[in-house]
């Protein structure tokens, strides 16, 4: 996991600086923009405390999506044989996404990966809404979307829908950017995200 940090030291340093800049004081233009952001930030923080930190309670998520990471952690390899288990040929991209985190930090780390994809969905929704709405309205739409019970269930359990939605949403936004700019890189991003969603 540290190989990209070593190979692309400058890029990694720029990313770390941009993340650090997120925690600097920000001057809001008006109270409505600040209120919309505060509401949109409150929901993920509540999810982090109530859904991510608590132990897994959904048996389907444990049986399906933690099967690969737990078996790899126990056996140190993926021991499912395609000729013996149908489960071995199911698209397991979501399980492979949480595998490194599970190996390093167990179930809690895997839940944090799911939560981070939830945050990416919210960021993508804000960027999409911002194209048509004011800052405060875009934050409000993001907060309303984040507060739906379906997202609480998806983020509070280790399901793959957050991964799927992230990749599909990013693919859709890439197509929009490609249509507006005509740059090939956005079409390549679309192909990458669409393929990742199928996996």
């Amino acid at each position: 996991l540290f190989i990209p940090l070593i190979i692309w030291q400058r890029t990694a340093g720029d990313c770390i600086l941009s993340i650090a800049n997120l925690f600097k004081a920000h001057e809001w233009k008006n109270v409505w923009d600040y209120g919309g952001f505060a509401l949109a930030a409150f929901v993920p923080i509540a999810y982090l405390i109530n859904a991510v930190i608590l132990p897994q309670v959904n048996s389907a998520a444990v049986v399906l999506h933690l099967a690969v990471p737990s078996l790899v952690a126990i056996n140190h390899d993926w021991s499912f044989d395609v000729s013996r288990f149908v489960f071995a040929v199911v698209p397991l991209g979501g399980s492979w996404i949480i595998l490194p985190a599970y190996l390093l930090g167990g179930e809690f780390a895997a839940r944090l990966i799911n939560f981070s994809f939830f945050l990416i969905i919210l960021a993508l929704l804000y960027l999409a809404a911002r194209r048509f709405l004011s800052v405060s309205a875009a934050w409000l739409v993001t907060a309303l979307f984040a507060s739906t019970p379906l997202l609480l269930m998806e983020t509070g359990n280790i399901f793959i829908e957050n991964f799927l939605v992230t990749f599909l949403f990013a693919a859709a936004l890439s197509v929009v950017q490609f249509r507006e700019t005509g740059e090939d890189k956005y079409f390549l991003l679309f192909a990458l995200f669409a393929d990742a969603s199928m996996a």
Side-chain angles (χ1 to χ4, degrees):
L1 294 175
F2 286 104
I3 290 174
L5 299 178
I6 295 169
I7 295 175
W8 298 294
Q9 291 180 2
R10 184 174 182 170
T11 304
D14 292 342
C15 289
I16 291 170
L17 284 176
S18 65
I19 291 171
N21 288 333
L22 293 174
F23 295 97
K24 289 185 178 178
H26 179 72
E27 292 294 328
W28 294 95
K29 293 181 180 177
N30 62 50
V31 70
W32 295 108
D33 293 351
Y34 175 73
F37 170 76
L39 186 60
F42 171 76
V43 176
I45 291 171
Y47 282 11
L48 179 65
I49 294 169
N50 290 323
V52 177
I53 295 176
L54 297 176
Q56 180 73 34
V57 295
N58 190 300
S59 58
V62 173
V63 170
L64 291 174
H65 306 301
L66 283 182
V68 171
S70 60
L71 284 173
V72 170
I74 293 168
N75 299 325
H76 305 293
D77 72 337
W78 176 235
S79 57
F80 269 30
D81 183 3
V82 176
S83 64
R84 296 182 60 209
F85 299 100
V86 174
F87 189 58
V89 294
V90 172
L92 295 171
S95 298
W96 297 119
I97 288 172
I98 63 173
L99 174 64
Y102 186 87
L103 292 176
L104 293 173
E107 180 188 325
F108 178 72
R111 292 163 70 92
L112 280 178
I113 293 293
N114 190 26
F115 180 74
S116 66
F117 272 81
F118 166 68
L119 293 179
I120 294 170
I121 293 169
L122 297 184
L124 292 174
L125 178 62
Y126 173 77
L127 292 174
R130 189 64 187 95
R131 298 165 60 92
F132 306 102
L133 303 171
S134 66
V135 172
S136 56
W139 282 124
L140 182 61
V141 166
T142 304
L144 288 173
F145 176 75
S147 63
T148 58
L150 177 65
L151 277 179
L152 175 61
M153 183 187 73
E154 291 295 334
T155 306
N157 296 292
I158 302 176
F159 290 128
I160 61 159
E161 281 74 16
N162 280 349
F163 308 138
L164 182 63
V165 169
T166 300
F167 293 134
L168 288 175
F169 203 170
L173 292 179
S174 299
V175 166
V176 171
Q177 285 294 109
F178 174 69
R179 184 175 178 192
E180 290 178 353
T181 64
E183 295 182 34
D184 291 340
K185 66 180 179 181
Y186 292 114
F187 185 77
L188 294 175
L189 282 173
F190 159 74
L192 175 71
F193 291 132
D195 289 345
S197 70
M198 286 192 296

